[in-house]
């Protein structure tokens, strides 16, 4: 995925109305909660809600937002679609929201053009400070995320063997099938998968395969 330059905005008063704030989240209760939260930060702003990327695109065309909050789960972690949405709403800054902090997804969101990345597991104080920073024109990412303009070319820190295992995982292979294909034992496969989950920040092999799909073509054989 090519790098997308972050929008440059400058706001002297982050508490002033910012126009339309577009919230993309498929769950009505989450949309409402996020709406109340951002309304406190930018009183007087107009709120717009979308339950899908397609719906968000329609809203962007009708009323270009000043800020977007994009729930990654709602987009199925489709960073190409996020990139298109961010481009359509430019120069509005977009903030990617995730259930939990994952540096790999933060990098992918950044490379898709997001202005920030926040995890819903953060407490309200941290979320408030981060969103205020975005409203003031300052990017907000985890401290270990590289500056804008530096692209991530693959899952970080994986050995050649771990990358082979990850490709097989992305193709839906079982541990036994991976072991047979690579000429290693199922126990060794388990050790590699444990290391892959730790290095990528994935919670399970499904999420690890999802990460792999953003970087590499799975090995189908």
């Amino acid at each position: 995925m090519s790098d997308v330059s972050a929008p440059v905005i400058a706001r002297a008063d982050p508490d002033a109305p910012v126009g339309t704030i577009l919230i993309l989240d498929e769950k009505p209760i989450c949309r409402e909660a996020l709406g109340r939260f951002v309304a406190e930060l930018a009183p007087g702003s107009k709120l717009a809600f979308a339950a899908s990327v397609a719906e968000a695109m329609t809203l962007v065309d009708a009323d270009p937002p000043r800020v977007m909050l994009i729930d990654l789960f709602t987009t199925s972690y489709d960073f190409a679609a996020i990139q298109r949405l961010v481009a359509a709403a430019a120069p509005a800054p977009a903030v990617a929201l995730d259930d939990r902090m994952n540096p790999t997804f933060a990098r992918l969101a950044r490379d898709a053009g997001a202005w920030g990345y926040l995890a819903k597991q953060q407490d309200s104080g941290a979320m408030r400070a981060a969103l205020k920073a975005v409203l003031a024109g300052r990017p907000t990412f985890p401290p270990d995320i590289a500056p804008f303009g530096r692209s991530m070319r693959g899952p970080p820190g994986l050995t050649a063997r771990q990358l082979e295992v990850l490709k097989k995982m992305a193709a839906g292979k079982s541990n036994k099938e991976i072991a047979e294909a690579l000429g290693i034992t199922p126990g060794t496969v388990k050790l590699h998968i444990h290391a892959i989950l730790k290095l990528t920040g994935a919670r399970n092999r499904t999420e690890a395969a999802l990460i792999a799909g953003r970087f590499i073509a799975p090995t189908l054989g």
Side-chain angles (χ1 to χ4, degrees), residues 11 13-23 34-47 66-67 69 128 131-136:
R11 296 189 54 79
D13 181 8
D15 294 319
V18 297
T20 299
I21 298 176
L22 174 58
I23 297 172
L34 286 170
R36 289 194 296 269
F37 191 78
V38 298
E40 295 176 2
L41 298 179
S45 299
K46 177 182 175 182
L47 298 178
R66 290 298 304 275
V67 180
L69 302 182
R128 185 175 291 106
L131 287 175
K132 275 199 169 188
V134 171
L135 293 175

Side-chain angles (χ1 to χ4, degrees), residues 44-217:
S45 299
K46 177 182 175 182
L47 298 178
F49 301 98
S52 67
V53 173
E55 187 178 353
M57 280 287 196
T58 299
L59 292 175
V60 165
D61 289 340
D63 181 16
R66 290 298 304 275
V67 180
M68 290 192 299
L69 302 182
I70 302 173
D71 175 60
L72 293 181
F73 183 83
T74 296
T75 70
S76 298
Y77 293 86
D78 185 345
F79 292 95
I82 293 171
Q83 186 176 26
R84 292 191 295 270
L85 179 58
V86 169
V95 179
L97 301 177
D98 210 350
D99 288 341
R100 62 187 285 272
M101 192 65 68
N102 186 310
T104 299
F105 289 150
R107 290 184 180 92
L108 288 167
R110 178 211 62 194
D111 288 348
W115 187 250
Y117 173 92
L118 301 175
K120 294 177 181 178
Q121 68 180 168
Q122 293 174 277
D123 62 43
S124 60
M127 290 279 286
R128 185 175 291 106
L131 287 175
K132 275 199 169 188
V134 171
L135 293 175
R138 299 189 301 273
T140 176
F141 282 94
D144 60 335
I145 300 303
F148 289 109
R150 289 180 57 187
S151 178
M152 186 180 177
R153 302 303 179 189
L158 298 188
T159 66
R161 179 60 87 185
Q162 288 165 352
L163 188 58
E164 289 178 335
V165 171
L166 182 56
K167 288 179 180 180
K168 298 294 184 183
M169 291 168 61
K173 302 295 184 181
S174 68
N175 286 8
K176 182 180 179 180
E177 290 171 327
I178 294 172
E180 292 175 350
L182 300 181
I184 56 180
T185 67
T188 301
V189 172
K190 288 182 180 180
L191 290 175
H192 284 314
I193 292 176
H194 178 76
I196 289 167
L197 296 180
K198 183 176 181 180
L199 287 167
T200 62
R203 286 168 285 191
N204 49 52
R205 62 188 298 142
T206 300
E207 191 169 287
L210 178 63
I211 291 172
R214 305 306 169 196
F215 296 110
I216 55 180

